[in-house]
Amino acid sequence: MSKNNSTPQVYLVGAGPGDPDLITVKAVKAIAAADIILCDRLVSPEIIDRYANKKTEIVYVGKECSKNASTPQSHIDSLIIQHASQGKKVVRLKGGDISFFSNVLDELKALKQYNITFEIIPGITAASGAAAYAGMPLTARGYATSVRFLTYYKTEILSDEYWKELGNSEDTLVFYMSKGNLNGLVDKFLALGKTDDKKIAVIEQATTPYQKVYTSSLEDFHKKFQNKEFVSPSLVVVGKVVHLHEEFSWLETPIQEGIYFKSVTNGSLVSTPQNLFEYAV
């Protein structure tokens, strides 16, 4: 809760990685009490169906940059401020955990600027959900003593010096939002060497009925998957723990293909203010 301890007007909520049962009780309470929910694409539609009041307004403000179907962050910030300033209880609902590779900092700054009370409700992040449902504990004893959460959505985001460190690291490496640069990511590791004991896993649509896990040595990845178009969202795990998947995988392979997270965006239909000041309290 914000520092003045008053009832929050805005709840920033993590919905979990996909399986609608992987949501916290606190998140369910916030969703049920909301007047309006600003919902990302990577939120299970069952969560809305189960827990949102039928009178609650649902506004989809998803981000899918690869398809140029994203709602601008400034627009999302404006919607939050607009509705909170009207006295509504606002839930900003995002897939996974609200604090992992999201734009929550922009939203926090906007809320702070206009003195709007808020609460952050964490969720199970994609890395935890994907690893659990793929049977590969991220810090399994004897395989890894630590784990790093990274992203490689832009090739320049990691420096050459940092790549050298990753190449020598015994950590489990989890890459978010990196399927578009996957071949280049593998090439980076191959160029650094020391890949004999490591494997790579690509986990599609983790924790959903359509989850699929593809594993390979780094050396064989291009031969097996160079022309494969992985479904979004896909999480990438690199490290010794990937070896555990074959032995401890417990989730049944889906019997059919499908897309769990649909591309739904209606946030762009609401006019965007010139600046947030229009909605200052």
Side-chain angles (χ1 to χ4, degrees), residues 160-186:
D160 289 341
E161 287 302 312
Y162 195 66
W163 273 114
K164 290 179 183 178
E165 182 185 346
L166 293 180
N168 291 317
S169 175
E170 295 297 317
D171 298 345
T172 300
L173 308 176
V174 182
F175 290 86
Y176 288 67
M177 302 180 294
S178 301
K179 79 179 187 72
N181 291 317
L182 196 47
N183 288 322
L185 184 152
V186 172

Side-chain angles (χ1 to χ4, degrees), residues 79-97:
L79 288 174
I80 293 171
I81 301 302
Q82 173 189 357
H83 291 289
S85 298
Q86 293 170 355
K88 297 177 184 178
K89 186 168 290 186
V90 180
V91 165
R92 174 70 174 106
L93 191 61
K94 303 188 184 189
D97 181 272

